Amino acid sequence: MAFESPTPHDLYLFHEGNLFQSYRTLGSHVTNQHGVEGVLFSVWAPNANKVSVVGDFNHWYGSNHEMNRLEQSGVWSLFIPYLGEGTVYKYQIESQHDGLLLKADPYGVYAELRPKTASIVRNLSGFDWQDHEWQKQKAEQSHFKRPMNIYEMHLGSWKLNDDKSFLTYEQLANELVDYLVSSGYTHLEIMPLSEHPFDRSWGYQIIGYYALTSRYGTPEQFMHLVNRCHQHGIGVIMDWVPGHFCKDDPGLRRFDGSPLYEYHDPKKAEKLLWGTLSFDFGKPEVCSFLISNAVFWMDVYHIDGIRADAVASMLDQNFDKPQEQWTLNEQGGTENLEAIAFLQKLNKTVFQLFPHALMIAEDSSDRPLITAPTYAGGLGFNYKWNMGWMNDTLRYMELEPEQRRHHHNWITFSFLYAYSENFILPFSHDEVVHGKKSLLNKMPGDYWRKFANLRLLYGFMAGHPGKKLLFMGSEFGQFSEWNDNEFAQLDWQLIHDFEKHRQINEYKKHLNSIYKQQSALWELDFDPAGFTWIDADNAEQGVLSFIRKSQDPNEQIVIVCNFTPNVYHDFRIGVPSSSQMYELLNSDEERFGGSGCINSGQYHAQSIPYHNQAYSIQMTVPPLATVMLKTSKPN
């Protein structure tokens, strides 16, 4: 592909905040000009006195390759003949105040392996994508009415090689994809993939937004991973960090010697909680940069969607700041009006270009309309993490069972607002690190009760309206919290050495399989017609029961959760029809590590009205367990 210097029209759109594929204009591109192969470099640095391209090719001496300023645009450009793919480079910027700066390319698509920080010229075209069926399926079937069971992972600590080195993208394309398929997940969510200097930032403090991290291999290897995910029916979601960036010298901070990507006012720019800087969402060029970045990952790498990190910190310009650091917007409030406008524009643009994309907000605020369309005043995301559900549910589950009846509202409150947004129910990495303990170790009681509580929790999660997300290691009951240190991986030996961990892993696979097969568990996730209470008020016995429904009136599932260690025999429960019923799931099965209180055979509903239902049955309710009963005959 031939690349030319940015045109006046390109520059106009860029400065208007409307150049949504600015990565095709800025950055470094292998091209041919006047019959000569070389690399075209373009960078935005409006306050620089002079900009040069430096690298091994000129002994890092900038005078030989000074860039040309394109009129008054603030964009500098230079074609250097005879350079090619693999060229290592930075921009040497002579600033008005800070002297000479050496900066990585904000639009660089590849970078040196840390601790080195230079950009590398890379041609990302030419990969032979074989995911046409996947793309066709996305266009034909609404994701809202499909199962979504997301496996969240950190690539560097899932598994390691024997020599403690990271698995490559190519290795993951085989081992990880096979694992996801056999475990019954529908989507993979990868913690930030963009280049970052510090391993233990997990990728959330970024230095190169367009540069796929080189820790795990090459861009082509990652394309192979995404391609193989799609070929096996697995969608790929990327954690994306539009709210803030790291302060490392080669990065975006004071890029041309002035606050360029960040706010000029330090009170507004500083993210004190994380030691980072906020993007200036009021600058059109920053909007072009960020919106193009979201588009870039979907366009070039076929990513199916993004999970936008820390949206609450974007919406409130005083998020987690001491009062002396507070600022007010032009209306006298604390909302970041520029960030709100940016997010609306981001979502509107992405859906225009990729109508079937997943745009997910990780938002801990109580702001309404996060997933409402922009024309209705919403932010325009199509999903939001349900942080309230996560917090209330874990707080409830950490209680000793005899205490739960005093806090019954913690487990029922989320149903009151379950349809106010399009929710994903997350048990993410944030809940199992920094002293918070693993999900298994949060559960109260002795060894048996911990596993029983965890099986109960996963069953309750599967039955609750909303899509699902689980962080790696939780599926086999990792006892230790996530170890994010270097040279650490998940405790895979637990599955092989301890029966309880093997059993809960088998239970989670079985539950995932049921979830995918049963349309009542996902088809009407965002329609109140898909849910009916049976009994929400039995706090004393600790039993919760409800019905999930699909569009087919014959496809209904009764879900009974017992949050106590008591066994209830001949327990009467209202059911919606006179159809025969059978036990679809019982988390207390012995093969899953339970006590074996199961309901074998089929139930014949009695014409005894109960729980506001026309019919009822009597059943055994097992201890600390989730039971699912299906109201139609098994296949």
Side-chain angles (χ1 to χ4, degrees), residues 313-361:
S313 76
M314 300 171 65
L315 299 176
D316 182 358
Q317 57 193 41
N318 299 320
F319 180 83
D320 270 352
K321 291 182 179 179
Q323 192 164 358
E324 60 269 20
Q325 292 288 323
W326 281 17
T327 58
L328 300 178
N329 62 36
E330 60 190 28
Q331 299 175 358
T334 62
E335 285 185 318
N336 189 326
L337 302 178
E338 298 113 349
I340 292 169
F342 160 73
L343 290 172
Q344 292 174 322
K345 188 172 186 177
L346 164 73
N347 287 314
K348 185 176 180 180
T349 302
V350 167
F351 289 131
Q352 284 175 343
L353 297 172
F354 301 96
H356 313 292
L358 306 174
M359 296 296 288
I360 304 165

Side-chain angles (χ1 to χ4, degrees), residues 83-118:
L83 295 185
E85 193 168 10
T87 298
V88 176
Y89 71 100
K90 282 187 177 180
Y91 295 117
Q92 178 181 286
I93 298 174
E94 180 184 297
S95 75
Q96 297 176 9
H97 306 290
D98 295 350
L100 286 181
L101 305 172
L102 273 179
K103 292 289 189 177
D105 189 347
Y107 284 88
V109 297
Y110 200 45
E112 292 182 297
L113 181 64
R114 48 103 177 85
K116 295 182 178 181
T117 56

Side-chain angles (χ1 to χ4, degrees), residues 303-498:
I303 294 292
D304 298 291
I306 59 175
R307 172 263 198 190
D309 178 62
V311 169
S313 76
M314 300 171 65
L315 299 176
D316 182 358
Q317 57 193 41
N318 299 320
F319 180 83
D320 270 352
K321 291 182 179 179
Q323 192 164 358
E324 60 269 20
Q325 292 288 323
W326 281 17
T327 58
L328 300 178
N329 62 36
E330 60 190 28
Q331 299 175 358
T334 62
E335 285 185 318
N336 189 326
L337 302 178
E338 298 113 349
I340 292 169
F342 160 73
L343 290 172
Q344 292 174 322
K345 188 172 186 177
L346 164 73
N347 287 314
K348 185 176 180 180
T349 302
V350 167
F351 289 131
Q352 284 175 343
L353 297 172
F354 301 96
H356 313 292
L358 306 174
M359 296 296 288
I360 304 165
E362 187 264 314
D363 173 38
S364 57
S365 76
D366 60 359
R367 179 186 177 89
L369 304 178
I370 300 296
T371 58
T374 56
Y375 62 77
L379 288 188
F381 289 96
N382 50 16
Y383 290 100
K384 172 182 173 173
W385 275 19
N386 194 335
M387 310 294 281
W389 172 87
M390 177 273 297
N391 282 308
D392 286 348
T393 299
L394 291 181
R395 186 169 54 152
Y396 177 84
M397 292 301 298
E398 288 181 85
L399 293 172
E400 292 293 338
E402 58 269 19
Q403 295 299 317
R404 290 174 178 169
R405 69 180 185 274
H406 302 300
H407 302 280
H408 190 68
N409 59 304
W410 292 356
I411 202 68
T412 59
F413 179 61
S414 60
F415 292 93
L416 294 178
Y417 61 86
Y419 301 102
S420 62
E421 304 276 6
N422 300 329
F423 282 122
I424 291 174
L425 311 180
F427 288 140
S428 74
H429 65 278
D430 274 331
E431 312 319 315
V432 294
V433 74
H434 294 330
K436 294 180 183 177
K437 300 187 289 189
S438 69
L439 289 185
L440 177 64
N441 212 14
K442 291 178 193 288
M443 301 298 107
D446 58 20
Y447 191 67
W448 187 92
R449 286 191 179 188
K450 283 183 178 295
F451 282 94
N453 270 301
L454 191 61
R455 293 192 303 272
L456 161 63
L457 174 63
Y458 290 160
F460 172 70
M461 179 187 190
H464 193 291
K467 309 306 184 187
K468 326 297 177 188
L469 178 143
L470 188 69
F471 184 61
M472 65 180 194
S474 302
E475 73 274 16
F476 59 82
Q478 177 148 320
F479 218 99
S480 301
E481 67 176 22
W482 175 40
N483 186 347
D484 66 337
N485 287 309
E486 291 185 68
F487 314 123
Q489 64 176 359
L490 298 182
D491 296 330
W492 294 103
Q493 73 278 7
L494 292 175
I495 300 176
H496 305 290
D497 296 346
F498 298 94

Side-chain angles (χ1 to χ4, degrees), residues 27 62 71 184 197 212 230 236 240 244 285 305 354 466 506 534 576 630-631:
E71 300 176 350
L212 176 81
H230 289 171
V236 182
W240 188 60
H244 60 117
E285 297 87 353
F354 301 96
E506 287 303 312
I534 295 175
K630 199 159 190 288
T631 58

